Amino acid sequence: MNTADPTVPLDELVRLRRHFHAHPELSLFEFDTNAFIEARLAELPFDEIRSKVAGTGTLATLVGGRPGPVTLLRADIDGLPVQELTGAEYTSTRSGVMHACGHDAHVSILLSAARTLVARRAEVAGTLVFCFQPAEEGPAGNRLMIEAGALENPHVDRTFALHVYSGLDVGKVGVRDGAFFASADEFRLTLRGKGGHGAMPHCSVDPITAGAQIVSSLQSIVSREIAPRDPVVVTVGRFTSGTTFNVIPDEAVLEGTIRCFDSEIRKSMPGRLERIVQGLCAAYRVEYELEYHWQYPPTVNDPKTNAIVRATAQRLLGVENVVEHDITMWAEDMAFMQELRPGAYFLVGSRGDERTSYPHHNARFDIDERALAVGYQMMVGLGLGHE
Ligand code: NI
């Protein structure tokens, strides 16, 4: 790949990324990160800076010198509750907290791109909103930013966002039209039976037996009810019950995640789940309570907006380095903005060697820092709006 582009401030990108990497903060607690970002942005002549949006987010507006749409460029800023094991010189200084998803790279890329785009303001077509968003890892910071007004004043016409990705070689960009990341919803099922002696099951109502049947039968939603062309995942990740080997407990609790790409299928899932739960609970004489929590919708790329990402990447990196990427079952909270505005989300390859091949959220996750240059070039290219 070409990292010799003299316009890419690779030293600055790396310095910033390592600073954030060494000082990770958990979702909604990104106070130092927020202060660092806002101090950097304050050095630059933006038209407006909205600080401490949704607590630890920032929105910086730049009116370009040429006419054009209002474009929001987004970086998520939070780390994860993971104890880092990379052994890197810039390893986390905060015990039990780590930038294990690469959001440190996203902040560094967007800060550096912002500096360049401010300097090249006269060339920018339209208005740019630089969005530094907290709490991607769970509390849906993207939705909090929307509620705090991120898509208005100015009215945002379209959005772009990226993620570094250890599943893709450095130097490459992954794009996809339509649904890219899955929805992710959660359920919690409480089964109430009647506890008793393990030797006398006929005097009890066993919630574990019922729960075991439910775990197995839920898989028939995917295998027997949904068309094979439509990817759906039903996972029971937690099944808790009982205190010891010879006691039938009163209660069992099952918790799981449901993921898919189609919004009609997504809407149908609680009904399918409950029908199976209801039937089996009746069969096994168990009472139940089912909670279903709608979390992240699927992340859907608008083809027209995505065409801009594809064209920009092809121009900057060469056609051979732009990959039409498969769907992924992750969820991504940028889905909320992309439900409301045409948007495009893309992947920036960050895998250079074995050390940078660990999956995201792994304690050994790290990136090939040449990915910072690619992300920076993409954000500058999209920000300039030269199509
Ligand atoms: Ni992430």
Side-chain angles (χ1 to χ4, degrees):
M1 64 169 290
N2 172 28
T3 46
D5 184 339
T7 66
V8 176
L10 189 60
D11 289 349
E12 182 195 54
L13 282 159
V14 168
R15 201 167 48 245
L16 284 171
R17 183 259 163 170
R18 293 185 177 190
H19 169 81
F20 292 118
H21 192 87
H23 303 92
E25 293 173 295
L26 295 176
S27 305
L28 300 176
F29 292 89
E30 308 95 334
F31 302 110
D32 294 347
T33 308
N34 171 257
F36 190 101
I37 291 167
E38 294 191 356
R40 278 270 164 158
L41 296 175
E43 295 165 3
L44 303 170
F46 285 99
D47 293 276
E48 190 194 10
I49 294 178
R50 285 173 275 176
S51 69
K52 307 215 166 19
V53 182
T56 46
T58 312
L59 295 161
T61 306
L62 179 72
V63 180
R66 303 191 304 147
V70 177
T71 302
L72 180 141
L73 304 172
R74 176 275 214 164
D76 42 7
I77 69 171
D78 52 332
L80 283 159
V82 172
Q83 179 64 43
E84 179 161 354
L85 296 174
T86 62
E89 57 180 285
Y90 43 84
T91 205
S92 172
T93 57
R94 292 177 175 162
S95 174
V97 188
M98 176 187 176
H99 267 296
C101 198
H103 300 182
D104 50 343
H106 305 168
V107 186
S108 142
I109 287 166
L110 196 59
L111 273 180
S112 296
R115 180 176 291 274
T116 299
L117 288 161
V118 168
R120 294 175 67 178
R121 176 198 292 258
E123 295 170 59
V124 171
T127 294
L128 299 176
V129 177
F130 297 91
C131 173
F132 295 88
Q133 177 218 298
E136 195 283 324
E137 302 284 3
N142 194 262
R143 189 168 52 195
L144 301 177
M145 293 296 280
I146 296 169
E147 286 164 3
L151 294 179
E152 300 297 340
N153 304 309
H155 179 89
V156 170
D157 296 309
R158 61 183 190 178
T159 69
F160 294 113
L162 61 76
H163 209 299
V164 293
Y165 182 38
S166 65
L168 188 65
D169 287 341
V170 67
K172 295 197 186 296
V173 161
V175 298
R176 184 177 181 85
D177 282 336
F180 198 170
F181 299 96
S183 61
D185 301 310
E186 293 169 26
F187 64 90
R188 181 185 161 90
L189 174 65
T190 307
L191 303 173
R192 292 202 180 89
K194 183 178 155 205
H197 199 299
M200 299 168 72
H202 57 293
C203 299
S204 303
V205 176
D206 183 359
I208 293 184
T209 311
Q213 294 293 339
I214 288 169
V215 172
S216 301
S217 297
L218 289 181
Q219 293 310 317
S220 71
I221 297 175
V222 177
S223 67
R224 302 290 86 180
E225 297 187 26
I226 308 283
R229 67 170 175 275
D230 293 315
V232 177
V233 167
V234 176
T235 290
V236 175
R238 194 160 189 216
F239 186 153
T240 43
S241 188
T243 50
T244 187
F245 75 100
N246 62 351
V247 173
I248 294 171
D250 280 315
E251 221 176 77
V253 178
L254 279 67
E255 292 165 280
T257 179
I258 294 189
R259 296 177 180 230
C260 60
F261 290 87
D262 182 279
S263 55
E264 289 306 310
I265 293 175
R266 183 182 181 220
K267 274 187 247 161
S268 76
M269 291 307 284
R272 296 177 196 270
L273 194 73
E274 180 140 27
R275 173 170 38 75
I276 289 172
V277 168
Q278 203 169 41
L280 286 169
C281 284
Y284 287 84
R285 301 174 294 154
V286 166
E287 288 181 2
Y288 74 91
E289 191 185 324
L290 179 62
E291 296 165 44
Y292 202 90
H293 301 288
W294 299 106
Q295 305 280 10
Y296 290 11
T299 305
V300 181
N301 281 342
D302 170 60
K304 226 176 102 208
T305 311
N306 201 37
I308 299 166
V309 171
R310 190 183 285 107
T312 303
Q314 288 175 345
R315 178 166 54 78
L316 293 171
L317 307 168
V319 178
E320 68 282 7
N321 288 318
V322 183
V323 178
E324 296 296 321
H325 206 277
D326 199 1
I327 53 167
T328 92
M329 297 313 291
W330 306 334
E332 161 59 55
D333 73 358
M334 194 60 201
F336 290 107
M337 281 190 181
Q338 293 188 204
E339 271 192 329
L340 299 172
R341 298 289 190 274
Y345 193 100
F346 58 98
L347 297 174
V348 172
S350 62
R351 177 177 63 203
D353 56 13
E354 211 178 313
R355 202 182 59 79
T356 51
S357 300
Y358 288 98
H360 292 248
H361 295 202
N362 185 292
R364 291 188 167 80
F365 173 83
D366 203 352
I367 62 164
D368 185 317
E369 288 173 324
R370 289 176 297 173
L372 300 171
V374 176
Y376 164 87
Q377 285 176 295
M378 285 297 297
M379 282 307 197
V380 171
L382 294 168
L384 289 171
H386 301 167
E387 288 165 32

